[in-house]
Amino acid sequence: MARAVREVKSVCVYCGSQDGRDPAHASVARAMGDALVDRGMRLVYGGGGIGMMGQIADQVLARGGEVIGVIPESLMRAEVAHAGVTKMHVTTGMHERKALMADLSDAFVAMPGGLGTLEELFETWTWAQLQYHDKPMGLLNVNGYFDGLMQWLKQAVDDGYVRPQHHGMLHVATDPVALLDELIQST
Ligand code: AMP
């Protein structure tokens, strides 16, 4: 499918509802917030006020940027819905949340997180593989956090389960600025 040239105005960021143990992860979340604001890009995210989600949202807001949260009603308490976002969409469930986050965004970035983060990244990636969308996708590999995943993905290609062109859809970088630049150039 020919890729339409489009401006990246809104970036959907998937990341942990916890901070993790490596302090570099939280500082990279804030650096990603800076990189978005510096480019005049809007943050679309899961609406949480804690963990990596809270870190990036707080930083974008502190810098005067725009933050759109999308959270299921049932998770508003567990994920401590952020009280200060520019706009919060409250959905009836997880499927509606993910669909709305995707609709509101021009590109996707995954940062360190857990099962929810991976589920969101892989759903978005498989939708691209099926040509449901052609929006660019990136992975921020901070301090080698995703090295094991990268190694498995390479094995999945070598073993004939993932096509190289689908593997190549995911842009990987260690630095937020480099990753956003790659995503912009790929549109
Ligand atoms: P985690 O990486 O597990 O901390 O989760 C990060 C975000 O993904 C949180 O906002 C979770 O609510 C969300 N999440 C968890 N499970 C799922 C799922 N099955 N589908 C979509 N998002 C999820």
Side-chain angles (χ1 to χ4, degrees), residues 123-139:
E123 181 174 84
T124 302
W125 198 355
T126 51
W127 284 2
Q129 175 179 272
L130 297 170
Q131 301 187 351
Y132 288 3
H133 74 85
D134 65 348
K135 299 174 183 177
M137 301 165 293
L139 181 69

Side-chain angles (χ1 to χ4, degrees), residues 15-17 53 75 79 94 97-98 113-117 119-120:
C15 59
S17 52
M53 294 202 290
L75 285 181
E79 296 190 352
M94 199 61 95
R97 175 201 227 180
K98 288 188 290 183
L115 300 177
T117 302
E119 197 276 346
E120 290 167 321

Side-chain angles (χ1 to χ4, degrees), residues 90-126:
V90 179
T91 65
T92 54
M94 199 61 95
H95 293 300
E96 190 188 342
R97 175 201 227 180
K98 288 188 290 183
L100 185 56
M101 287 168 80
D103 284 349
L104 292 172
S105 308
D106 306 306
F108 303 93
V109 165
M111 302 196 299
L115 300 177
T117 302
L118 285 185
E119 197 276 346
E120 290 167 321
L121 170 66
F122 275 90
E123 181 174 84
T124 302
W125 198 355
T126 51

Side-chain angles (χ1 to χ4, degrees), residues 3 125 137 157 162-172:
R3 189 182 281 285
W125 198 355
M137 301 165 293
V157 174
V162 176
R163 291 177 205 263
Q165 67 267 32
H166 295 148
H167 180 251
M169 286 173 162
L170 187 71
H171 299 268
V172 183

